[in-house]
Amino acid sequence: MNKKVFLISNLIICLVYSFSSSAQVHRSELIGAYLYNFAKYTTWPNEHQLNSYHIALISENPEIIHEVKKMAASKKIRNLPIKLSILSSPSLSLQAQLIFLTREKSNYFLETFDAIEGSPTLLVSENFHDKRVVMINLYDTPDKKLLFEVNKANIINQNLSIDPEILLIGGTEIDVADLYRQSQLSLRSLQKRMDIMNDSLQLIQAKAATTSATIKKQQVKITEQEMFLEQYKEEVQRQQEELNLQLTEIGDHEILLEQQYDSILSQGNIIIQQKAEVEHRNQILKKLEQDIDDKNQDLEKKNKVLGDQTITIERQKDILFLSIAVIFLIAALAITLYREYRNNKRINIKLREQKDEIEDINEELVTTNESLSDTLSKLKSTQSQLVHSEKMASLGVLTAGIAHEINNPINFVYTGINSIRKDFEDLTLILNEIRNLPTEKDDLEQVIQKIQNLKTEYDFNEIIEIIPETISDIQTGAIRTAEIVKGLRDFSRIEKDEKHMANIHEGLESALLLLRNKYKHHITIERNFGQLPEIECLPGKLNQAFLNILSNAIDAIEEEGKIEITTYSDDDQLYVSIKDNGKGIPQNIHKKLFDPFFTTKEVGKGVGLGLAITFSIIKEHNGTIEVKSEEKRGSEFIISLPLRLDS
Amino acid sequence: MLFQLMGDPKPTVLYVDDEEINLRIFKSTFRRKYIVLTANSAKKGLQILKERKVNLVITDQRMPEMTGVEFLKEIQIRFPHIPPSRLMISGYSDTDAIDEAFKVCQLYRFISKPWNAQELDLIMIEAINHDG
């Protein structure tokens, strides 16, 4: 009763506070009341040893501090006083029974949560966002109510038990499962995002790889070009050196020319001196009148010579300049020609290298081709050998049967004739008596008596009975031998490769004849032959196909059994169904039936080419082959062949 | 020869073959010198052996139900005390079976079809004398 009254009063407090106008103050009061109730509804495992309940308030909110202080001073929990400590950080609070971290201290929450984990301390938070880690969390609703939520899992983890009725005073329980789901969802979305990022990373990596490959290629190209440039540089350097050499030569020439010029100049000076001397002498000679004219003439002559010399000197100068220009031109020409020639040579070398390479590749291709066609022809010959050996194998299996089959009727003929000959010898004795019948009556009776005796002695009556029997036996032997030989001949049409019109029923009969010895004792053959037109085919090969299937059908029947052969046709196709009631084919090997070398028979009883060859024969005739089989019930092979090969 | 010299009656020969014509021809060929008993299966042959004294057994190898070798083995088991000569006549037979017959079944000779009457006659006499 008390409890209920208390609860109702609390609820009224809550409601009153939440509708009140001075919300902030009353909110703090409400917090105080909540804290008191949290302590009241919680049971600590060690509380019987306590002499007070320690509440640690970690807050800087003066109103909350004030209200909680008020609460602590006025209330008792289970008759024990409340010891309140107000702290700014959680470090000293860890021994408390209840720690309340207000909103502004939320940054300490996780640290505190980890520190008290497993110890009997209740952690109360205010508006903490992560519901997974809270124990009791006070929160404000959009319509300004203050409520709390309880995460029981975390409280239980602290060895604390909490009265479920706590929820009646304004609490809700946190759905842990939902939290888990949400976290899983967010984890999943993170994973997806990671996958996407991974994918794009891989894409980028792939791109990077291709880019680095192209970069490598380009690097290789660049190194090639660098090498080429290097060569080119060397070339240029060499040419420059040559040019320098030529330039120095030209410089030498210039020096020589200057020297010559100098010498000419000095000669000119000498001439001028001589001239002065001559004038001086003229003055002297004027006085010396006799020599004047001669000397004048001489002087004129000398003057003339001098003029000539200056002209030649001028000419020599011109020639020198010209030759220098020509030399320059020639040098430039030579350099360009030389460079051109080098380039051509290099290109030629490259072309030749490429040509050689192509030739090498060609040779390789030719040898590869040769070895391939060699392998092909080897494969072909192996294939034909295998096909041949399978034919031989199936013939070998048949030989025993055929030998027995043919030797019996031959024996009829062989021995039957012998028997008739002996019978005839006996008869001859009697006939001779009849032939030499005497004319006398007395003798006649005697002879008749003799004949009677002979008849008894040689079983005349038996001979007369036996002879027709023996003759018909011989006939049977002869007919059967002829049939077998015909069957063999039909079968051996294999060798002919030309298609011609043939009757399918004859082919089936010849195959049956060859197999008779394998089935005659325990298998009945039921022929449901329809009306079939002759078709264009390779009869020998078709017979081999029929023989393979029939032979398998016979092998499938272990004791008594039946093989039904049904033939029918429609407008375009004819059908041959060979159905046995033997052991059937297991489902798991249906697909392998026509594979070459697949066999269920023991070693030496067939190499596993029978149905593969059959398949290829039917395919060669544009036909199909279908298998229906059930284990322990039997198998049915249905061959369909087009009536006209071109269709 | 010995039989004839000793004035014995005709020797009795049992011939087993699934081919009726072979039986008939054999009988008509040898009826003059032998009492010929024939059976178209090994089973019937065993029945005859139970009832009649036989000097020589001749059998085909390839027969339904019981082969010649199996027939000879069965004789060994059922009539161990009588030692009739054994011949085998067949159109064809795998050598393994014949070897076994020689080793286990006291087979005297293997004759392949088609047989020659005179030769077979000589072998039959030889086999009977060899035994008796």
Side-chain angles (χ1 to χ4, degrees):
Chain A
M1 261 325 249
N2 272 341
K3 215 175 198 176
K4 281 221 174 115
V5 170
F6 180 78
L7 270 177
I8 290 159
S9 69
N10 269 325
L11 277 175
I12 291 164
I13 293 170
C14 288
L15 288 172
V16 168
Y17 284 145
S18 55
F19 287 116
S20 137
S21 54
S22 54
Q24 192 51 48
V25 176
H26 299 305
R27 187 180 176 277
S28 305
E29 257 175 75
L30 192 56
I31 287 172
Y34 270 142
L35 281 181
Y36 168 67
N37 280 304
F38 294 158
K40 213 172 155 64
Y41 281 97
T42 309
T43 315
W44 282 265
N46 57 345
E47 66 185 6
H48 58 278
Q49 300 166 351
L50 299 173
N51 38 30
S52 68
Y53 286 92
H54 183 186
I55 292 178
L57 174 62
I58 299 158
S59 177
E60 272 167 19
N61 183 328
E63 278 166 33
I64 291 174
I65 292 169
H66 176 74
E67 287 303 329
V68 174
K69 264 183 182 169
K70 224 162 82 182
M71 184 274 290
S74 62
K75 300 282 181 186
K76 280 190 169 181
I77 297 165
R78 290 189 271 284
N79 285 324
L80 287 180
I82 296 168
K83 180 185 148 198
L84 179 70
S85 42
I86 291 141
L87 303 162
S88 57
S89 78
S91 52
L92 295 167
S93 67
L94 302 175
Q95 295 302 316
Q97 270 70 52
L98 194 151
I99 299 173
F100 178 42
L101 269 167
T102 54
R103 186 172 11 200
E104 72 278 0
K105 295 290 184 184
S106 289
N107 53 330
Y108 289 119
F109 184 88
L110 290 174
E111 182 189 321
T112 316
F113 185 86
D114 290 340
I116 62 162
E117 197 194 346
S119 67
T121 301
L122 181 69
L123 183 61
V124 180
S125 51
E126 185 191 11
N127 285 320
F128 194 72
H129 57 279
D130 191 349
K131 296 181 181 181
R132 285 175 299 176
V133 291
V134 300
M135 292 180 202
I136 295 177
N137 184 43
L138 290 161
Y139 67 98
D140 294 282
T141 61
D143 50 349
K144 304 224 164 148
K145 280 186 196 165
L146 182 69
L147 298 175
F148 66 91
E149 52 200 356
V150 180
N151 187 338
K152 266 196 176 162
N154 287 333
I155 294 172
I156 291 164
N157 191 41
Q158 299 294 93
N159 282 325
L160 301 175
S161 68
I162 193 150
D163 191 331
E165 281 183 24
I166 195 174
L167 298 179
L168 292 175
I169 59 164
T172 46
E173 205 171 318
I174 292 166
D175 186 350
V176 183
D178 188 48
L179 280 179
Y180 178 73
R181 251 193 313 281
Q182 278 174 8
S183 63
Q184 281 300 98
L185 274 175
S186 66
L187 211 74
R188 182 72 205 119
S189 74
L190 276 172
Q191 232 168 17
K192 273 183 194 163
R193 221 181 298 160
M194 210 146 95
D195 284 349
I196 291 163
M197 270 155 68
N198 248 340
D199 286 351
S200 55
L201 205 77
Q202 263 165 2
L203 258 169
I204 292 164
Q205 268 174 343
K207 259 188 214 168
T210 47
T211 320
S212 70
T214 33
I215 286 170
K216 253 185 207 167
K217 266 187 217 160
Q218 280 170 345
Q219 265 174 345
V220 170
K221 264 188 206 167
I222 287 166
T223 26
E224 272 173 16
Q225 282 172 344
E226 270 175 357
M227 269 163 68
F228 188 76
L229 267 173
E230 203 68 36
Q231 285 176 354
Y232 192 75
K233 258 190 205 166
E234 276 172 24
E235 198 56 44
V236 169
Q237 229 159 9
R238 208 179 306 145
Q239 283 175 356
Q240 229 162 16
E241 275 167 21
E242 262 172 47
L243 205 80
N244 282 344
L245 245 158
Q246 284 173 343
L247 277 176
T248 44
E249 254 173 58
I250 288 164
D252 288 352
H253 280 295
E254 265 179 328
I255 290 164
L256 252 170
L257 273 173
E258 266 172 28
Q259 281 173 356
Q260 281 178 349
Y261 188 72
D262 286 348
S263 67
I264 288 164
L265 276 183
S266 64
Q267 279 178 350
N269 284 337
I270 293 165
I271 288 163
I272 288 166
Q273 282 174 8
Q274 282 176 343
K275 224 178 164 179
E277 214 176 292
V278 168
E279 271 178 16
H280 178 68
R281 277 185 191 169
N282 266 349
Q283 283 173 353
I284 300 164
L285 278 174
K286 267 177 188 169
K287 290 168 190 168
L288 300 166
E289 287 181 50
Q290 285 173 338
D291 294 336
I292 281 172
D293 283 340
D294 293 345
K295 277 185 181 173
N296 261 348
Q297 274 171 355
D298 273 4
L299 264 173
E300 265 171 26
K301 268 178 204 167
K302 276 179 183 172
N303 265 340
K304 215 179 182 178
V305 170
L306 259 172
D308 282 354
Q309 276 181 337
T310 0
I311 285 162
T312 31
I313 284 163
E314 285 292 319
R315 230 181 258 160
Q316 275 179 343
K317 254 188 194 169
D318 286 352
I319 285 163
L320 251 173
F321 279 123
L322 245 167
S323 64
I324 286 164
V326 167
I327 284 164
F328 265 117
L329 267 173
I330 286 166
L333 206 71
I335 286 162
T336 13
L337 277 174
Y338 184 70
R339 206 178 287 163
E340 199 75 3
Y341 168 74
R342 289 286 302 211
N343 269 343
N344 275 340
K345 208 173 169 185
R346 205 173 297 136
I347 289 163
N348 268 340
I349 287 165
K350 260 193 191 168
L351 276 173
R352 207 170 301 138
E353 277 170 6
Q354 280 180 339
K355 206 178 134 193
D356 286 352
E357 236 171 72
I358 288 166
E359 271 169 6
D360 284 354
I361 290 166
N362 259 342
E363 267 171 34
E364 250 171 57
L365 275 174
V366 166
T367 48
T368 316
N369 249 343
E370 275 168 6
S371 74
L372 272 175
S373 60
D374 205 41
T375 316
L376 189 72
S377 66
K378 266 184 204 161
L379 274 173
K380 271 188 184 160
S381 80
T382 313
Q383 196 192 22
S384 68
Q385 269 172 21
L386 275 170
V387 169
H388 186 68
S389 73
E390 176 68 21
K391 216 158 80 187
M392 287 296 117
S394 68
L395 277 175
V397 172
L398 289 171
T399 311
I402 292 164
H404 192 268
E405 211 49 40
I406 209 163
N407 280 331
N408 264 328
I410 285 174
N411 202 43
F412 305 164
V413 178
Y414 207 80
T415 318
I417 285 170
N418 198 46
S419 163
I420 282 185
R421 205 183 62 227
K422 279 196 171 162
D423 289 342
F424 187 70
E425 275 168 15
D426 289 355
L427 277 182
T428 314
L429 287 172
I430 299 166
L431 285 175
N432 276 342
E433 289 301 322
I434 294 169
R435 199 164 57 187
N436 304 325
L437 272 184
T439 43
E440 315 281 309
K441 206 187 172 186
D442 291 352
D443 292 344
L444 198 66
E445 270 182 19
Q446 211 183 343
V447 171
I448 287 168
Q449 188 56 49
K450 201 179 171 189
I451 287 171
Q452 284 295 351
N453 290 344
L454 279 172
K455 270 171 83 178
T456 328
E457 195 185 332
Y458 290 105
D459 299 324
F460 179 77
N461 290 334
E462 211 185 332
I463 290 173
I464 293 300
E465 264 174 50
I466 284 172
I467 284 174
E469 271 179 17
T470 313
I471 286 170
S472 90
D473 288 347
I474 290 170
Q475 197 180 12
T476 311
I479 290 168
R480 224 196 268 173
T481 310
E483 272 176 5
I484 291 163
V485 170
K486 183 174 175 288
L488 274 173
R489 199 184 51 221
D490 287 352
F491 193 76
S492 65
R493 282 195 199 165
I494 281 166
E495 309 315 323
K496 286 186 191 167
D497 244 6
E498 260 171 54
K499 287 187 169 134
H500 57 94
M501 302 303 282
N503 187 320
I504 296 297
H505 292 150
E506 278 176 17
L508 284 164
E509 289 296 352
S510 75
L512 280 171
L513 190 72
L514 291 178
L515 291 166
R516 204 178 93 87
N517 194 64
K518 277 180 79 181
Y519 67 75
K520 64 178 176 185
H521 297 311
H522 66 301
I523 295 169
T524 22
I525 305 288
E526 204 177 297
R527 296 171 175 80
N528 304 314
F529 287 177
Q531 285 287 322
L532 292 187
E534 290 200 334
I535 61 163
E536 196 184 2
C537 61
L538 297 163
K541 285 196 169 182
L542 273 189
N543 294 352
Q544 197 189 357
F546 295 145
L547 183 108
N548 283 335
I549 295 173
L550 282 168
S551 175
N552 283 345
I554 292 165
D555 290 342
I557 297 171
E558 278 159 342
E559 300 190 349
E560 301 275 302
K562 187 172 80 174
I563 295 173
E564 278 175 68
I565 305 171
T566 312
T567 63
Y568 51 99
S569 65
D570 57 25
D571 290 346
D572 321 302
Q573 307 257 341
L574 67 81
Y575 302 90
V576 178
S577 151
I578 295 169
K579 187 178 178 185
D580 67 69
N581 61 353
K583 60 187 170 190
I585 303 157
Q587 188 68 38
N588 60 332
I589 60 168
H590 275 202
K591 280 187 183 164
K592 295 187 237 165
L593 277 185
F594 297 101
D595 290 357
F597 305 110
F598 176 76
T599 181
T600 57
K601 293 176 184 170
E602 55 198 284
V603 177
K605 292 279 162 74
V607 295
L609 281 176
L611 279 182
I613 288 170
T614 303
F615 185 77
S616 75
I617 290 169
I618 299 302
K619 218 171 130 190
E620 201 179 341
H621 286 80
N622 294 334
T624 61
I625 184 161
E626 189 193 338
V627 188
K628 294 175 183 168
S629 184
E630 208 179 312
E631 257 186 290
K632 290 176 186 161
R633 300 292 289 274
S635 310
E636 183 180 10
F637 283 73
I638 302 165
I639 295 167
S640 71
L641 294 167
L643 295 181
R644 284 161 294 277
L645 261 187
D646 46 53
S647 62
Chain B
M1 296 287 185
L2 270 174
F3 279 91
Q4 280 154 334
L5 285 174
M6 284 156 76
D8 279 345
K10 288 180 189 174
T12 307
V13 176
L14 170 63
Y15 179 40
V16 183
D17 195 319
D18 61 318
E19 197 75 63
E20 293 280 357
I21 297 173
N22 275 336
L23 297 177
R24 219 152 51 214
I25 289 171
F26 182 87
K27 195 170 185 175
S28 72
T29 308
F30 295 108
R31 71 192 157 79
R32 291 175 186 82
K33 279 173 78 176
Y34 303 86
I35 298 165
V36 179
L37 306 175
T38 60
N40 65 0
S41 73
K43 214 171 155 188
K44 284 182 187 165
L46 288 169
Q47 191 63 38
I48 290 170
L49 280 174
K50 210 192 272 179
E51 290 156 7
R52 299 282 297 267
K53 189 181 180 303
V54 171
N55 299 97
L56 179 66
V57 174
I58 300 173
T59 179
D60 184 23
Q61 161 63 4
R62 287 207 169 193
M63 292 186 293
E65 290 170 16
M66 204 185 277
T67 66
V69 173
E70 282 163 354
F71 172 57
L72 294 179
K73 270 191 199 165
E74 202 60 34
I75 295 174
Q76 291 280 95
I77 295 162
R78 288 204 200 177
F79 314 103
H81 54 285
I82 52 160
S85 301
R86 282 122 216 211
L87 290 182
M88 192 180 273
I89 301 180
S90 196
Y92 182 92
S93 193
D94 48 320
T95 44
D96 289 351
I98 303 304
D99 286 349
E100 196 191 349
F102 274 113
K103 268 184 212 156
V104 184
C105 311
Q106 303 178 9
L107 185 67
Y108 181 68
R109 194 70 81 79
F110 177 84
I111 300 137
S112 61
K113 284 178 191 170
W115 34 267
N116 176 302
Q118 278 167 319
E119 271 176 36
L120 183 56
D121 186 26
L122 284 175
I123 292 167
M124 280 158 71
I125 292 165
E126 208 178 287
I128 292 164
N129 288 335
H130 158 83
D131 226 41

